[in-house]
Amino acid sequence: CPCNLIQGCLGGCIQFFFVCLSVGTCCIPLSYEFCSAAGSVVLGRPLWLAWTWWRYAFGGLTALAANGMSRLALFMWEWQAFGSAAY
């Protein structure tokens, strides 16, 4: 679906949006369960939530490309996106 590609591209370029794709956001009710990759795992990865994984995977690929195809740079970018905490 073109919507997943567009959302994944935005998620790979904007850290806040990547976090929303990964674990949802507190600003949107039920986004953790029904709109994030983590929520899909918690619900047992049902087929009807496969679109969240396509969007998340494309976002990760876009982020990897945006960080110079370096896995270390991608890790640092994701770590910063999630708050740069020790744990």
Side-chain angles (χ1 to χ4, degrees):
C1 175
C3 295
N4 282 343
L5 296 178
I6 293 168
Q7 291 173 2
C9 188
L10 287 173
C13 297
I14 303 168
Q15 291 178 333
F16 173 76
F17 198 64
F18 184 78
V19 172
C20 292
L21 298 180
S22 302
V23 295
T25 178
C26 60
C27 300
I28 302 171
L30 299 176
S31 68
Y32 174 75
E33 290 88 358
F34 300 113
C35 297
S36 69
S40 174
V41 171
V42 169
L43 293 175
R45 293 187 65 178
L47 183 60
W48 61 274
L49 283 176
W51 63 276
T52 62
W53 278 99
W54 282 105
R55 184 178 65 173
Y56 177 70
F58 192 71
L61 183 63
T62 304
L64 180 63
N67 285 291
M69 301 300 284
S70 167
R71 291 185 348 198
L72 178 60
L74 176 64
F75 171 78
M76 298 298 287
W77 184 82
E78 289 178 344
W79 182 56
Q80 186 179 21
F82 282 94
S84 303
Y87 294 98

